[in-house]
Amino acid sequence: MPPIKLEVSDATTTPSSDAKPKELNKCSQLELKGLESIAPLVRSVEETPEPIATEVRGTIPTWIRGSLLRNGPGKFEFGNQHYNHWFDGMAMLHQFKIQDGKVTYRSRFLQSDAYKKNSERDRIMVSEFGTVAMPDPCKNFFMRFLSRFEMIEATDNASVSFVKYKGDCFVSTETNYMYRVDPESLETQDKVDWTKFIAVNMATAHPHTEPDGTTYNMGNSYGRKGALYNIIKVPPMKNNPEETLEGAKVLCSIVPADKARPSYYHSFAMSENYVVFIEQPIKMDLLKIVTAKLRGKGISEGVYWDPKQDTVFHLVDKHTGQTSSVKFHTKALSVFHQINAFEEDGFLMLDMCCSDNGEAINNYLIQNLRKSGEALDQVYNTTYRAFPRRFVLPLNVTDDTPTGVNLNTRPASSATSFKTAIDKVVCQFEDLHGEDLYEYGGLEFPQINYSKFNTRPYRYFYGCGFRHLVGDSLLKIDLKGKKVKVWYQKGLFPSEPVFVPSPDAVEEDDGVILSVVVTPTEDKSTFLLVLDAKTWEELGRAEVPVNIPYGFHGTFNPTAKSALLT
């Protein structure tokens, strides 16, 4: 493949594209025409269990030593049965191993029970988020009838992300199951069940980790009295090599506004002293979920958007487990990923990618992603975009705090916080971007220099622009001036950017960005892109001679120092 011309800009112009803007609504909507089909990006592929060489173009810095690990769906059917939702595909683990300026690639399907059961029968045996497993035709009529009345069992298809607990590598989804995996071989090791350690029925795939390795997460629990949101704390060290989640505890529990309809959440925020839970108006109807199999519907049928409800921020002290009696309210928003949260001068800054509508989760049906022409344009133009926003939460609200006064006294901040009742503060966000970001379809999959600036004041964040249903550009936003730098090439679809700091880093953006770039227009044309995080210019790329589907999340796993000495 010849070298590809790329665009690096300060976003003073809209990127060239056949897709012609019709209308720009600053609330969220960018209407486009002529979007190209991305169906090949959500097709099943074969695994590549043994490492294969890539062809490097340009230069990959020799100081990068380690592996970019990626997770996401890689198989969308068994036999003549197809999954309905993008989230349902079987987990495929990817590894781009970087050493001495060279890159190898390998991939493996996670050997989950769901994958093995489905493979053995060549049919969908385990229900997923948007797909219900129908009764086995090999059973007699009576057994098939009874199976309709069974609860949908939680899937162990851990397809969302790579995470670490106590120094070990796991792949995770949004149920109670994770798998410990070998980051070197990608081999599946132990299946881990959260319910064996603490009273939760699930946990997010986006924990937060302290510098000492202590890890926080969130998970719901369900009982006869309804649902609870639980803050989880996992210790940093193992007492023996076989340990997984031993020592985990529930730091505190939060009662939902409606116990029968708790909020869906994909992640949460964390500052130096607080866990911040965002209770959003994406709701889960528990009755519909528990009767999903009886009705022949997926779990997704029980997830809905209720724009009449507020979004509520709950603050939990990480040290005491106490939940603040003051609740921070804002209008109905949907949030999948936070950017960062930090405390300064008596305020907690909460930076998130927010959308003004929460119905997008049900727009990512496989049939929608595989549409073309006007039908594809319609799906895109009815899906709201996410934009980076900051809420400023005052931490010292007391009975004596006056009402009717903006409590945000931070200079040059347009966010507002008004106390309206003894335990209620109503907040309005400020944008963390300029007008130009609307032209790039907003920003999602946010990343920062996490190891040095998580829970601290920071200047830069990175993400994907969304002028399509999946990311089609890489963006860097400088909070000083809210300027954006853009990497874009028509027909290329980059994944979540992962920041890797340089070993002699002085400034926050000293390092590189790693992103896996795929295209639906050419066969076997995937590559690992390496950008200079400071200049946003391409340093090099490693071209992979196999097809890779568009995935979800990843992380950089550095090579251990001891390995470098051998």
Side-chain angles (χ1 to χ4, degrees), residues 2-228:
I4 296 175
K5 181 181 178 182
L6 59 86
E7 173 183 318
V8 181
S9 79
D10 290 321
T12 56
T13 59
T14 302
S16 58
S17 174
D18 292 337
K20 305 298 183 186
K22 284 173 55 182
E23 179 184 354
L24 189 62
N25 180 335
K26 290 168 71 172
C27 290
S28 288
Q29 294 297 81
L30 173 67
E31 293 196 8
L32 299 176
K33 282 186 176 180
L35 292 171
E36 67 179 291
S37 171
I38 56 170
L41 306 187
V42 286
R43 300 286 188 195
S44 297
V45 299
E46 299 294 326
E47 64 181 359
T48 308
E50 297 302 322
I52 58 174
T54 66
E55 183 175 351
V56 174
R57 307 244 181 154
T59 302
I60 295 179
T62 56
W63 58 261
I64 306 175
R65 289 178 171 266
S67 297
L68 176 66
L69 303 174
R70 294 272 303 158
N71 199 352
K75 186 173 178 60
F76 298 94
E77 69 284 314
F78 286 90
N80 61 2
Q81 296 184 342
H82 300 259
Y83 288 115
N84 297 324
H85 201 283
W86 189 23
F87 298 171
D88 298 345
M90 292 291 97
M92 185 175 229
L93 316 181
H94 308 266
Q95 177 204 71
F96 293 83
K97 190 170 186 178
I98 309 170
Q99 187 168 344
D100 300 328
K102 298 179 181 179
V103 180
T104 59
Y105 169 78
R106 78 193 319 166
S107 64
R108 288 181 185 268
F109 283 110
L110 177 69
Q111 295 299 301
S112 63
D113 289 341
Y115 179 80
K116 289 188 286 189
K117 289 177 182 178
N118 296 340
S119 298
E120 288 168 3
R121 300 298 295 271
D122 199 24
R123 65 187 303 271
I124 296 174
M125 299 291 293
V126 179
S127 296
E128 300 291 341
F129 175 72
T131 306
V132 61
M134 301 308 292
D136 189 345
C138 295
K139 294 181 178 179
N140 62 40
F141 173 80
F142 183 66
M143 293 303 295
R144 292 201 304 272
F145 175 75
L146 287 181
S147 69
R148 284 284 196 176
F149 294 87
E150 297 172 354
M151 279 277 292
I152 290 181
E153 294 184 11
T155 180
D156 62 347
N157 176 35
S159 64
V160 178
S161 65
F162 276 86
V163 297
K164 279 194 173 182
Y165 292 97
K166 302 183 181 182
D168 284 343
C169 189
F170 295 82
V171 287
S172 182
T173 182
E174 296 183 333
T175 69
N176 53 298
Y177 296 118
M178 297 190 302
Y179 275 92
R180 183 156 52 181
V181 298
D182 183 339
E184 286 300 311
S185 67
L186 297 185
E187 291 181 352
T188 304
Q189 297 179 328
D190 307 314
K191 182 176 179 177
V192 179
D193 183 351
W194 279 96
T195 65
K196 303 298 183 183
F197 300 93
I198 50 176
V200 297
N201 297 95
M202 55 79 70
T204 82
H206 290 291
H208 279 290
T209 304
E210 300 274 29
D212 71 349
T214 300
T215 306
Y216 293 86
N217 205 338
M218 285 198 61
N220 283 4
S221 57
Y222 306 105
R224 285 179 295 178
K225 296 184 178 180
L228 291 173

Side-chain angles (χ1 to χ4, degrees), residues 492-510:
L492 298 182
F493 295 89
S495 69
E496 172 188 61
V498 173
F499 179 84
V500 182
S502 61
D504 54 353
V506 175
E507 298 185 332
E508 181 181 339
D509 58 349
D510 285 339

Side-chain angles (χ1 to χ4, degrees), residues 518-533:
V518 294
T519 176
T521 58
E522 296 183 44
D523 188 49
K524 301 178 181 178
S525 54
T526 303
F527 60 90
L528 174 66
L529 175 68
V530 183
L531 293 181
D532 184 313

Side-chain angles (χ1 to χ4, degrees), residues 405-421:
V405 177
N406 182 13
L407 303 179
N408 177 19
T409 57
R410 290 176 62 83
S413 171
S414 60
T416 61
S417 297
F418 288 89
K419 179 182 174 183
T420 60

Side-chain angles (χ1 to χ4, degrees), residues 214-286:
T214 300
T215 306
Y216 293 86
N217 205 338
M218 285 198 61
N220 283 4
S221 57
Y222 306 105
R224 285 179 295 178
K225 296 184 178 180
L228 291 173
Y229 311 120
N230 301 289
I231 312 297
I232 303 165
K233 184 176 182 180
V234 181
M237 304 295 290
K238 295 191 290 186
N239 293 318
N240 64 73
E242 303 305 315
E243 272 195 14
T244 55
L245 297 176
E246 283 82 356
K249 66 178 182 179
V250 172
L251 188 64
C252 82
S253 298
I254 300 169
V255 179
D258 183 345
K259 287 188 175 183
R261 294 176 178 83
S263 290
Y264 167 80
Y265 53 94
H266 183 70
S267 58
F268 63 99
M270 186 177 81
S271 68
E272 182 180 1
N273 294 297
Y274 296 93
V275 168
V276 185
F277 168 56
I278 299 96
E279 188 173 21
Q280 61 184 343
I282 301 178
K283 296 296 181 178
M284 299 186 296
D285 187 322
L286 297 185

Side-chain angles (χ1 to χ4, degrees), residues 23-31 331 333-334 354-357 380-387 389 429 433 437-443 466:
E23 179 184 354
L24 189 62
N25 180 335
K26 290 168 71 172
C27 290
S28 288
Q29 294 297 81
L30 173 67
E31 293 196 8
K331 68 173 188 175
L333 297 170
S334 70
C354 306
S355 172
D356 295 316
N357 185 287
Y380 178 83
N381 292 328
T382 55
T383 302
Y384 277 63
R385 309 292 145 243
F387 288 86
R389 297 167 175 174
F429 62 82
H433 62 90
L437 188 60
Y438 294 108
E439 299 290 343
Y440 291 94
L443 182 146
F466 275 77

